[in-house]
Amino acid sequence: MSQSLSSKKTTFFQILKQQNFIGWLFLAPALILLTIFLFIPILSLIYLSFTNGNLVSNKWIGLANYQRLLIDSDFKQIIFNTLYFAIATIIPSIIIPLFLSILLNQKIILRGFFRTAYFIPSITSLVAMGLGFRWLFQNNGPINELLLSLNINPIPWLNSTFWAMPVIIIFSTWRQIGFNLVVFLAGLQAIPQNRYEAAELDGANFWAKLWYITLPSLKPTLIFATITTAIFTFRSFEQVYIITNGGPSNSTNLLSYYIYEQAFRQFNFGYAAATTSILLIFAIILVAIQLIILKD
């Protein structure tokens, strides 16, 4: 009897080990690719941040690059710009598509056309759209011509330390609306309609249904859209590169563009790697927040 039990137990563990082996075998190609293109580059980046990496040498200097970040006035300005840009972009990029998705989830005329129209900027080349925005907001561009026709003095949008950032924010928000719109539409269509029907029988109006049914049901979708939008804003580079080049007077210089300048214009690869590590920490914190909230 005991021999039969031990043999069954042995067979069970053999099967379990075999299944684990098969599972790791299927995971192996993805793990190899992740190791080559993600884990090794991240480790190399962290190592490089502790060196004076440049075109001449690659000497270990410890925490010198991080100490420089703490006292670098330009870096402090970059962090302020990035946070200002992120907050001012995330809020409208969530609120506007949320209400548009509620509207376009109803049976209205040309609903399919409007859904497509709002989504097109999300799949259009950033370079093409950036060039278009730069043309719109140049000193003698269509926006200033419109202001002149309304007897309003033209604004030096891209040459003003006050107005240049709002142009970048408008551009980034406009591009992000389409993606978030699709995400919210998918979330709305997953809400059972009988909840709304029951609420209508109880006399609930539009705002009551929005507050007590729609928003609570969309909580995971809202968190996902907020985190992805935040990550998009923190890694924004193309719009700054094309429209303002970080100017005027560093007023639109964001973290990603600053990393590009340090690495490929001034060839301070070690310092750029340290700055990239800060950006990586921001991304990890955002993902951790998403996981914690969704877990609750």
Side-chain angles (χ1 to χ4, degrees):
M1 183 70 175
S2 59
Q3 291 179 352
S4 63
L5 287 173
S6 61
S7 63
K8 288 181 180 180
K9 190 181 293 185
T10 304
T11 305
F12 171 76
F13 282 113
Q14 287 176 347
I15 294 172
L16 187 63
K17 289 180 180 179
Q18 184 180 4
Q19 289 176 343
N20 286 338
F21 174 75
I22 293 172
W24 283 109
L25 189 64
F26 278 106
L27 285 173
L31 290 175
I32 292 171
L33 290 174
L34 284 172
T35 301
I36 295 173
F37 295 106
L38 181 63
F39 300 134
I40 292 177
I42 288 176
L43 292 175
S44 300
L45 170 75
I46 294 172
Y47 169 78
L48 186 61
S49 70
F50 293 102
T51 70
N52 68 337
N54 52 54
L55 294 178
V56 179
S57 65
N58 195 28
K59 182 181 177 182
W60 181 271
I61 58 173
L63 295 173
N65 286 323
Y66 293 96
Q67 292 172 348
R68 178 183 169 188
L69 286 175
L70 294 175
I71 62 174
D72 189 348
S73 59
D74 285 343
F75 181 71
K76 293 176 183 177
Q77 177 67 34
I78 302 307
I79 293 295
F80 173 80
N81 291 346
T82 304
L83 292 175
Y84 164 42
F85 168 75
I87 294 170
T89 301
I90 291 169
I91 294 174
S93 294
I94 297 298
I95 295 175
I96 294 173
L98 176 61
F99 283 97
L100 284 175
S101 64
I102 293 171
L103 177 64
L104 295 176
N105 197 41
Q106 311 298 319
K107 293 181 180 179
I108 61 173
I109 301 173
L110 298 176
R111 180 175 65 173
F113 168 78
F114 285 115
R115 287 180 176 181
T116 305
Y118 282 118
F119 185 67
I120 284 176
S122 299
I123 57 175
T124 305
S125 167
L126 267 172
V127 175
M129 292 193 301
L131 291 172
F133 256 72
R134 191 173 70 181
W135 170 71
L136 284 172
F137 286 94
Q138 61 187 355
N139 290 339
N140 57 347
I143 301 297
N144 277 336
E145 289 181 1
L146 176 62
L147 293 178
L148 283 171
S149 68
L150 298 173
N151 294 322
I152 300 174
N153 292 329
I155 299 172
W157 299 98
L158 303 181
N159 297 322
S160 168
T161 56
F162 180 81
W163 289 108
M165 183 63 84
V167 173
I168 303 295
I169 291 169
I170 292 169
F171 173 82
S172 302
T173 302
W174 175 60
R175 188 174 188 276
Q176 190 67 19
I177 282 175
F179 175 80
N180 288 343
L181 175 65
V182 172
V183 171
F184 289 139
L185 279 172
L188 287 171
Q189 292 171 7
I191 302 174
Q193 290 301 310
N194 55 13
R195 296 184 184 179
Y196 293 106
E197 294 169 0
E200 288 173 359
L201 291 174
D202 290 336
N205 58 20
F206 169 80
W207 297 107
K209 289 186 289 185
L210 174 66
W211 185 257
Y212 292 105
I213 299 175
T214 304
L215 293 180
S217 301
L218 282 179
K219 179 183 175 182
T221 308
L222 282 166
I223 295 169
F224 171 79
T226 303
I227 297 299
T228 53
T229 303
I231 293 173
F232 164 76
T233 57
F234 276 117
R235 65 177 182 82
S236 294
F237 168 79
E238 293 91 341
Q239 52 267 59
V240 177
Y241 179 78
I242 296 165
I243 299 175
T244 63
N245 277 319
S249 301
N250 238 15
S251 61
T252 60
N253 200 345
L254 302 179
L255 202 52
S256 294
Y257 188 78
Y258 184 67
I259 292 168
Y260 160 77
E261 282 187 321
Q262 292 297 322
F264 301 108
R265 287 186 175 176
Q266 300 184 28
F267 303 109
N268 295 325
F269 297 113
Y271 187 63
T275 311
T276 308
S277 299
I278 302 300
L279 182 60
L280 179 62
I281 291 171
F282 277 137
I284 292 173
I285 290 172
L286 290 172
V287 173
I289 292 172
Q290 180 184 15
L291 294 175
I292 291 170
I293 296 175
L294 289 177
K295 185 178 178 180
D296 296 336

